[in-house]
Amino acid sequence: TLMAASLNGNTEVVKLLLDKGARPDLMNDDGTTALMFASQSGHTEIVRILLDKGAKLDLKSKDGADALIYASLKGHVETAGLLLEKGGNTDLQRTDGATALIIASQNGNTETVKLLLEKGAKPDLKRNDGATALIVAAQKGLSEVVRLLLDNGANVNLQETSFNTTALIQASLKGHTEAVKLLLDKGADPDLPN
């Protein structure tokens, strides 16, 4: 099928299936499309082919993810760049509130984070639990991602809603000294309650 060929990077099979009438926006039971599979796997040429054949960028899987979120999950910066060039939405939120930026930050995909910020992604959007890209990056001690987010205006003192923790609290809990230093240098309040 088109989805399997897209997932596995079989460019010639994708072309053949599309030429024989395969629908580029057909969804599986999870609402995932061939474009999402190709994006998740970083098959940029297949993404380009699918878009040229009319695949829609704004379709979402059952969990609310679009192709850009799938590309960001695995850090496929070239694929994400193409999706953004074609009109991808940097700030689309899944049903749990996560954005491409939050997902890329959580997974330490530094180049994808950089690209999303350059293309206007809002660094302070929150998941449903209140966590931001900065909070999830600080929790994992991803100092380069923390630095990028702070340099692009992320609010250093935002609190997530589950336990009212901040990026500084998360970094401190996990012993991520470099992230703690970065956050303090940008004005993190060490006295915010946790």
Side-chain angles (χ1 to χ4, degrees), residues 101 121-126 131-134 153-156 158:
L101 182 62
K122 297 174 186 161
D124 290 334
L125 288 178
K126 295 180 174 187
T132 64
L134 183 61
N155 183 332
V156 73
L158 283 180

Side-chain angles (χ1 to χ4, degrees), residues 13-26:
V13 173
V14 167
K15 289 179 184 176
L16 180 62
L17 290 168
L18 288 168
D19 287 345
K20 293 296 181 181
R23 295 177 293 160
D25 288 330
L26 187 67

Side-chain angles (χ1 to χ4, degrees), residues 72-73 101-111 113 132-150 167 170-172 174-183:
S72 299
L73 177 68
L101 182 62
I102 291 171
I103 291 164
S105 297
Q106 180 175 324
N107 290 308
N109 299 325
T110 307
E111 291 304 312
V113 169
T132 64
L134 183 61
I135 290 171
V136 298
Q139 181 179 34
K140 290 192 168 190
L142 302 168
S143 297
E144 188 55 36
V145 174
V146 168
R147 185 184 334 274
L148 276 170
L149 292 164
L150 290 170
Q170 289 295 334
S172 298
K174 302 288 185 175
H176 300 305
T177 306
E178 182 63 25
V180 169
K181 287 179 186 175
L182 288 167
L183 294 162

Side-chain angles (χ1 to χ4, degrees), residues 35 38-48 51 57 67-68 70-72 74-86 109-116 119:
L35 181 63
S39 298
Q40 176 182 345
S41 299
H43 299 305
T44 306
E45 184 56 31
I46 292 175
V47 168
R48 185 181 317 281
L51 290 170
L57 274 173
L68 181 60
Y70 278 96
S72 299
K74 298 289 186 175
H76 297 302
V77 69
E78 183 182 349
T79 303
L82 175 61
L83 293 166
L84 289 167
E85 175 187 310
K86 298 291 186 178
N109 299 325
T110 307
E111 291 304 312
T112 305
V113 169
K114 186 176 179 180
L115 172 70
L116 290 165
K119 297 296 184 182

